[in-house]
Amino acid sequence: METEAQRDLVGAMDMRWLEDFLAVADTRNFTRAARLRNISQAAFSRRIRGLEWWLGVSLIDRASCPLRLTPDGENFRQRAAAIVQQITDAQSNDPTSGPRRELSLALPHSLATGRLPAWWGAWQRAVGPDVAWNIVSGDVNDIVAALMTADIDILIAYQSAIVGVTLPEDQYERVEIGEEVLAPYAAPWVTERLERSGRAVPLLAYTPTSTFARVVEALLDAAPTRPRGPVIFEAESTAVLRAMAMAGHGVAWLPIGVANEAPRGALRRVEIEGWSADLKIIAHRDRRSTSTAVAELWSLLSPGGRGGATARVGGAALRCLPAANEPTRWKHLS
């Protein structure tokens, strides 16, 4: 019998992720598994990493040759096979079931964790229940490449005066769906120490290749004052830097949406002139797409589309975000 945990898992992800995982578990080879699944190896690898990200565990030991499953992967293999079999059986016994439409969407980790949960309900209602979603979360360079190779349908990313996604306008359409602020945060006692005394405090930085690293460097170059403390820690993940800041290890620059995920009172914004940067949240799609699911979601994201549907995305749905630190500004608010 299907367990509650299995039902939750199926509702949270695309079943193709499970089928991809079972293929690589059987072949112990990414290239052969991708060929069996009839997709590019790059797209296949992104799906596997997406599954691991969703589950919060590593399923495959990529350092071994041939590949082997981790203990978590071995435990999950039987569960995944059972879920896929149950869904297959249910579909074969349902005379009304038809082919499902597909929609692939990619966004950075910070948007996937900080914004996607609030967007999700309105998006699902916009495209209908017959759509199989594939959500890809990763590095901006990787997800831009995925859009250009047609491995995904819609890309959502940050844009600022310093950095952003640049695609040929004759082929790719874009729409601004929101605004964000990248600001310095720290544990309350660290913030108070910095604002009141101006004393040096440790800095928690992004790795140099990160998009946010360039934004922070550019805004501090133009700020009236620069931080005096040393960089003691670097990471690519906003979630890692947030955790370090919450623990009192220093100041980290975070999107407000990511900072708001912290428990109330765990972080406080550092209010120093010139230390924050405005960002836009931009959706991109290929103009040549013929997918009805993509068209329906794009209509929701576009200003005034579908009789003001965008206002609902920018309004009630997105205001459900926890206001641990401060409110977030969204486009198309009524």
Side-chain angles (χ1 to χ4, degrees):
M1 178 177 292
E2 184 182 12
T3 66
E4 182 178 355
Q6 287 174 327
R7 289 194 299 271
D8 290 344
L9 185 61
V10 173
M13 68 173 69
D14 191 329
M15 191 178 75
R16 293 176 301 173
W17 293 4
L18 304 182
E19 295 170 332
D20 292 341
F21 168 66
L22 292 175
V24 77
D26 290 338
T27 62
R28 304 302 169 106
N29 184 284
F30 272 89
T31 302
R32 288 202 301 272
R35 192 178 302 122
L36 287 172
R37 298 288 294 146
N38 195 31
I39 60 173
S40 69
Q41 185 172 340
F44 183 84
S45 297
R46 283 194 294 272
R47 288 188 189 178
I48 296 297
R49 289 199 180 276
L51 176 62
E52 291 177 314
W53 172 81
W54 199 280
L55 294 172
V57 298
S58 177
L59 299 174
I60 298 171
D61 180 1
R62 293 167 175 80
S64 63
C65 187
L67 294 177
R68 65 170 178 260
L69 301 183
T70 64
D72 286 323
E74 292 288 358
N75 292 334
F76 183 66
R77 184 179 185 178
Q78 290 185 343
R79 184 182 178 193
I83 293 171
V84 171
Q85 187 60 55
Q86 288 168 4
I87 294 176
T88 301
D89 292 344
Q91 290 176 336
S92 63
N93 293 329
D94 181 3
T96 66
S97 64
R100 302 192 73 193
R101 297 182 296 160
E102 298 183 354
L103 195 158
S104 297
L105 185 143
L107 62 175
H109 293 301
S110 53
L111 283 175
T113 59
R115 300 304 186 199
L116 183 60
W119 291 337
W120 188 251
W123 288 3
Q124 281 191 311
R125 290 191 296 273
V127 302
D130 65 327
V131 171
W133 291 76
N134 179 29
I135 305 297
V136 177
S137 173
D139 175 79
V140 171
N141 292 329
D142 291 339
I143 58 181
V144 169
L147 178 66
M148 298 184 71
T149 56
D151 288 327
I152 61 167
D153 298 308
I154 293 178
L155 162 68
I156 297 178
Y158 293 116
Q159 184 93 23
S160 76
I162 308 302
V163 299
V165 174
T166 303
L167 294 166
E169 293 185 4
D170 59 338
Q171 182 174 342
Y172 296 96
E173 186 177 5
R174 53 181 284 163
V175 61
E176 181 181 341
I177 64 172
E179 295 177 339
E180 178 66 280
V181 176
L182 185 70
Y185 286 87
W189 68 269
V190 176
T191 300
E192 183 176 355
R193 172 184 174 183
L194 179 60
E195 290 178 345
R196 287 193 175 183
S197 65
R199 296 174 60 186
V201 296
L203 304 180
L204 310 171
Y206 292 96
T207 54
T209 56
S210 166
T211 297
F212 285 155
R214 288 177 284 164
V215 175
V216 172
E217 185 61 29
L219 72 89
L220 291 181
D221 281 344
T225 59
R226 288 186 64 94
R228 294 171 47 212
V231 174
I232 64 166
F233 182 85
E234 290 184 352
E236 186 174 354
S237 167
T238 54
V240 172
L241 294 179
R242 181 186 63 214
M244 292 290 288
M246 288 169 53
H249 295 303
V251 177
W253 272 257
L254 304 170
I256 289 178
V258 173
N260 280 348
E261 294 179 80
R264 185 174 295 276
L267 288 175
R268 219 183 87 194
R269 181 170 171 175
V270 178
E271 298 290 354
I272 295 181
E273 182 182 356
W275 282 23
S276 299
D278 292 330
L279 305 173
K280 299 182 185 299
I281 302 175
I282 307 292
H284 308 258
R285 72 161 179 175
D286 194 324
R287 297 179 185 273
R288 300 169 298 180
S289 172
T290 60
S291 166
T292 57
V294 172
E296 289 163 356
L297 178 56
W298 197 259
S299 177
L300 181 74
L301 298 178
S302 301
R306 295 275 294 278
T310 310
R312 291 196 297 273
V313 176
L318 291 180
R319 284 177 177 149
C320 292
L321 288 170
N325 298 289
E326 57 189 292
T328 302
R329 294 174 290 129
W330 293 98
K331 299 296 287 185
H332 321 314
L333 294 179
S334 56

